[in-house]
Amino acid sequence: MSDQLALFPETVALTRVRPERDESRFYRLEIWPDLFGRTMLVQRWGRIGTVGRQRLDPHPDAGSALNALAELARAKRRRGYCDA
């Protein structure tokens, strides 16, 4: 069985480490279905090694959640985050 990259990934893990600023941060985005037929975009962020914070954003369907995930990931990469 071969592993294949998803065209639209449902999980993105990013990190930003800058020792000169004593900064080591993570940002994780995931898409989860909920029990009511909607799709949740889960955002987790914080300092590496901690639990961090979490935010759940409901979306009416998976397509809109994927669009929001892609836009947030693009914005974080512009701010210096790299794929983990």
Side-chain angles (χ1 to χ4, degrees):
M1 202 185 284
S2 66
D3 291 315
Q4 189 176 27
L5 292 176
L7 184 58
F8 302 106
E10 295 183 353
T11 301
V12 175
L14 303 167
T15 60
R16 182 170 68 185
V17 178
R18 295 192 271 188
E20 67 277 3
R21 291 185 168 190
D22 191 31
E23 180 181 30
S24 59
R25 307 205 36 89
F26 73 91
Y27 203 89
R28 184 172 177 89
L29 300 164
E30 297 180 72
I31 294 181
W32 293 351
D34 74 355
L35 297 175
F36 304 107
R38 296 177 304 182
T39 305
M40 303 298 281
L41 174 59
V42 181
Q43 301 176 53
R44 300 187 94 175
W45 69 93
R47 190 169 176 86
I48 293 174
T50 67
V51 176
R53 298 181 67 184
Q54 178 173 305
R55 176 180 170 163
L56 301 171
D57 291 329
H59 291 272
D61 58 23
S64 65
L66 283 169
N67 289 340
L69 180 143
E71 184 59 36
L72 280 169
R74 191 172 18 253
K76 291 297 174 183
R77 287 182 181 115
R78 279 193 303 256
R79 295 197 60 178
Y81 281 82
C82 300
D83 291 305

